[in-house]
Amino acid sequence: HQSARLDFGIISRSEIAGTVFVDLNNNGRFDPGEKGLRNVMVVLDNTKSTLTDNQGKYHFPSTPAGEHVVALDLNSIPIRYIPAIEIEQSITSFEGITFIWNVPLTETPTQ
């Protein structure tokens, strides 16, 4: 018959995720039928990095809210592809939100 005090907090983190893909129709969007590229390195704030999976997806879970820079490591992209957008993106993330940054690539013509 005693009471106890229990204090706890809930922290809602944000996430940064996306897909590195071959943009077949050059519209800048990841459409059905377009394939993701695996083993491309994506870097967060010049401190964390991850490789894309077999579908070209990457994910930085539990990212604190605030200002971040997400970048693509050009050395990890196969030589026949070039990014169709800037390889670095400055973002502001908010608590509980997943920020999506997809990176379209264009295949260079073979000779």
Side-chain angles (χ1 to χ4, degrees):
H1 297 318
Q2 295 179 346
S3 64
R5 180 178 171 160
L6 180 61
D7 294 326
F8 66 94
I10 298 174
I11 298 175
S12 174
R13 294 292 194 159
S14 60
E15 300 176 316
I16 300 171
T19 304
V20 178
F21 66 98
V22 180
D23 190 9
L24 297 175
N25 58 5
N26 296 316
N27 69 354
R29 293 188 310 256
F30 185 50
D31 297 316
E34 293 178 331
K35 69 174 186 161
L37 224 55
R38 70 183 188 111
N39 292 330
V40 175
M41 185 176 292
V42 183
V43 181
L44 176 64
D45 296 331
N46 287 322
T47 58
K48 287 183 172 181
S49 63
T50 189
L51 293 175
T52 56
D53 66 13
N54 288 336
Q55 287 83 40
K57 297 179 185 294
Y58 70 92
H59 183 230
F60 292 104
S62 300
T63 305
E67 300 293 320
H68 298 283
V69 175
V70 186
L72 205 61
D73 181 351
L74 283 178
N75 294 322
S76 67
I77 300 172
I79 193 116
R80 67 180 184 272
Y81 299 107
I82 56 171
I85 62 172
E86 294 289 325
I87 62 166
E88 188 173 285
Q89 176 73 37
S90 296
I91 65 163
T92 303
S93 64
F94 301 95
E95 292 292 334
I97 300 296
T98 299
F99 184 89
I100 304 293
W101 184 55
N102 291 332
V103 182
L105 303 175
T106 302
E107 189 167 5
T108 59
T110 57
Q111 299 192 8

